[in-house]
Amino acid sequence: MDSSVRGRRRARLNEICRALPEVTSHEGQHIGFQVRGRTFAYYLDDHHGDGRVALCCKVPLGDQEALIDLDPERFFRPAYLGVKGWVSVRLDLHTLDWDEVTKLVGASYRLVAPKRLAALAGPPASHPSPRAP
């Protein structure tokens, strides 16, 4: 993936996350997105030399395994947070489903945010589709 595509995808993920109530972020090579000091998502770019660009986020109990089994090319268990039920979805593949990314970000936000803020984010969305267009 060339640097211009990488930059556009990073910016798009930043827009999706920052559109949620009271979100802050810490940027560098990676971006951590927080709500009231609690992280709900990471943009990871070649994390520990894995060669991938990905979104890492919290998912409901049991969803990590289901998503990875659904499509192991797109979804993987992230280092460190995988044991806590987080999942990563690749942002560096040729096709990317931004609706899926938005649903994952929203679900993670609702799991981490205080209830009042989570309610402002809207109702939970359905699981991601098996194949992105």
Side-chain angles (χ1 to χ4, degrees), residues 114-125:
K115 290 181 183 187
R116 183 185 64 78
L117 291 178
L120 294 175

Side-chain angles (χ1 to χ4, degrees), residues 13 25 50-51 103 112:
L13 179 63
S25 63
D50 69 5
K103 288 175 186 178
V112 172

Side-chain angles (χ1 to χ4, degrees), residues 25-107:
S25 63
H26 297 104
E27 293 199 35
Q29 179 180 357
H30 310 300
I31 307 172
F33 298 96
Q34 299 83 30
V35 55
R36 294 207 180 157
R38 297 189 63 200
T39 302
F40 68 92
Y42 291 99
Y43 168 88
L44 301 174
D45 186 344
D46 194 26
H47 188 241
H48 292 294
D50 69 5
R52 298 180 282 208
V53 176
L55 160 67
C56 179
C57 58
K58 188 170 183 147
V59 292
L61 189 61
D63 282 8
Q64 179 199 64
E65 296 82 11
L67 290 169
I68 293 169
D69 288 346
L70 180 71
D71 191 343
E73 182 182 346
R74 281 189 303 151
F75 298 100
F76 63 96
R77 188 170 288 103
Y80 312 113
L81 294 173
V83 297
K84 296 180 181 182
W86 288 49
V87 72
S88 287
V89 60
R90 294 189 63 172
L91 302 178
D92 58 356
L93 299 176
H94 182 68
T95 58
L96 183 57
D97 184 344
W98 285 107
D99 289 335
E100 175 182 76
V101 169
T102 302
K103 288 175 186 178
L104 287 166
V105 166

